[in-house]
Amino acid sequence: MLFIRSFMILFLCCMTIRINLCFSSNPSSLRNLSVDGHFSFDEVHHAAKDFGNRFQLLPLAVLYPKSVSDIATTIRHIWQMGPNSELTVAARGHSHSLQGQAQAHQGVVINMESLQGPKMHVYTGNNPYVDASGGELWIDILRECLEYGLAPKSWTDYLHLTVGGTLSNAGVSGQAFRHGPQISNVHQMEVVTGKGEVLNCSEKQNSDLFHSVLGGLGQFGIITRARISLEPAPDMVKWIRVLYSDFTTFATDQERLIDPVQASQFHSDGRTLYCLELAKYFNRDRADALNEEVGNLLSQLRYITSTLFQTEVPYIEFLDRVHVSEKAISSAAATGSSMLTSLDDTVPDDSR
Ligand SMILES: Cc1cc2nc3c(=O)[nH]c(=O)nc-3n(C[C@H](O)[C@H](O)[C@H](O)COP(=O)(O)OP(=O)(O)OC[C@H]3O[C@@H](n4cnc5c(N)ncnc54)[C@H](O)[C@@H]3O)c2cc1C
């Protein structure tokens, strides 16, 4: 009797475990997860598109998280499905990837822009920084920081990208030669790991995770919050663009500028053109001195003189020059190469 009773108990336990495993390893079990935001299982087609328009990988579901805990709960659930589950997860920022990096074939796409984390916080003391959500757009970070006369040190040319999207890559623009890419200007992050844990990481805390996630193409965890280094924002930018038809001359001048485009009317006569674009940050009270300095600088370069374009624009207008920049990139791509070099006039000469 004792043997039969033990056997029955064991049998029933196994049945229960089996039923649970079947339940949790079934992707549709996501429907029963309790989250602050919501899952969409029907309207998922937009998550199978990106800027490249070359890959269309249809996901099973899109999660619109309202909290970090939504992301952690979902990933923990998928982790618990075990190694036999083929359900993949991809964070989606502003989906400006070109090759489907933010897509998940029959998996779960996490729409980071719907994350409603704690409000952005700007710290204005020594070594200022901003704490921002992984789904925040850089343009919104810039606007918020400018309220305090501050701005992130390193940019992308195009600012309608998310914090998580560019920190998973590198984040490169004209300031990178001075401050490094955006991933070199992060103090710490909050990350949801592949097991669904929420961890803080920095150079000193969980440093392996910190260095893996930065530039990790979304493969080592999901960035839910980042502390980004700031500096005083200048008022204005002197924006200069010139074209070259000879690459060696172009590269020599580019090196000269790193050491210390609006030429649309110009006819290339079928030659490849090289575009050198410079930005010199300054405050309005230095405008005269700056113009003299720029005049001296340009007189040493050997670009095609008729192609010189220069203007002065407010700092935010320059950084958010979305349409102008895209036009410049596409025209430069059609004709040759382009590089934006930002010479920060607010930094003393000896630190260049
Ligand atoms: C018009 C245009 C201009 C660009 N300009 C620049 C530029 O000047 N400098 C530059 O460096 N790059 C530039 N890029 C490239 C761009 O930075 C990258 O494609 C970037 O990944 C896009 O950010 P996103 O928010 O759209 O991310 P998505 O395309 O949505 O995602 C990119 C990758 O990051 C992952 N990811 C997204 N969010 C998170 C998160 N929170 N945590 C972890 N992983 C995440 C995704 O899974 C995916 O692998 C440009 C791209 C375009 C289309």
Side-chain angles (χ1 to χ4, degrees), residues 14-271:
C14 287
M15 283 289 287
T16 321
I17 291 170
R18 227 191 114 137
I19 288 165
N20 278 343
L21 277 178
C22 285
F23 168 74
S24 64
S25 65
N26 184 342
S28 66
S29 60
L30 290 169
R31 290 179 192 273
N32 300 315
L33 274 189
S34 166
V35 288
D36 303 321
H38 68 280
F39 281 98
S40 175
F41 293 87
D42 302 321
E43 294 189 10
V44 293
H45 288 85
H46 69 283
K49 285 192 181 146
D50 61 22
F51 198 88
N53 217 11
R54 294 178 57 216
F55 293 82
Q56 280 91 35
L57 310 173
L58 202 62
L60 173 84
V62 178
L63 168 66
Y64 295 88
K66 265 196 184 161
S67 61
V68 174
S69 137
D70 284 358
I71 299 175
T73 304
T74 305
I75 295 190
R76 199 177 314 120
H77 180 80
I78 294 171
W79 164 256
Q80 283 166 356
M81 288 179 181
N84 291 332
S85 162
E86 291 182 355
L87 204 61
T88 56
V89 178
R92 174 184 163 101
H94 208 52
S95 67
H96 269 46
S97 297
L98 300 181
Q99 304 205 52
Q101 290 95 328
Q103 301 179 25
H105 176 61
Q106 285 305 299
V108 178
V109 168
I110 302 180
N111 191 70
M112 295 303 296
E113 285 187 84
S114 66
L115 180 63
Q116 298 170 357
K119 206 177 160 308
M120 218 185 301
H121 167 70
V122 179
Y123 171 75
T124 56
N126 287 339
N127 302 319
Y129 60 77
V130 58
D131 282 332
S133 155
E136 202 77 64
L137 291 177
W138 284 100
I139 180 65
D140 294 330
I141 294 181
L142 174 62
R143 286 195 184 111
E144 179 72 16
C145 293
L146 283 180
E147 297 284 323
Y148 302 86
L150 296 166
K153 292 178 178 168
S154 192
W155 291 107
T156 47
D157 277 354
Y158 182 67
L159 300 187
H160 296 247
L161 305 168
T162 62
V163 167
T166 68
L167 294 187
S168 299
N169 284 274
V172 182
S173 185
Q175 301 85 356
F177 83 93
R178 185 190 305 285
H179 294 297
Q182 288 179 324
I183 55 172
S184 303
N185 292 280
V186 179
H187 295 308
Q188 64 180 60
M189 288 180 293
E190 178 189 71
V191 171
V192 178
T193 68
K195 291 182 180 174
E197 303 159 306
V198 183
L199 295 180
N200 283 319
C201 59
S202 65
E203 288 274 1
K204 294 197 174 133
Q205 187 185 9
N206 297 315
S207 61
D208 282 355
L209 182 67
F210 183 70
H211 292 296
S212 310
V213 168
L214 289 174
L217 302 173
Q219 300 301 302
F220 297 91
I222 296 195
I223 302 164
T224 47
R225 204 154 176 80
R227 178 164 292 179
I228 297 149
S229 189
L230 302 177
E231 64 178 1
D235 299 336
M236 297 287 291
V237 179
K238 180 94 177 174
W239 180 8
I240 305 158
R241 188 184 301 145
V242 286
L243 294 185
Y244 295 75
S245 58
D246 175 59
F247 182 74
T248 309
T249 315
F250 162 75
T252 310
D253 280 358
Q254 197 176 54
E255 280 170 22
R256 179 198 292 269
L257 290 168
I258 289 173
D259 277 344
V261 188
Q262 188 84 23
S264 54
Q265 304 308 316
F266 180 77
H267 297 292
S268 67
D269 295 330
R271 285 169 298 172

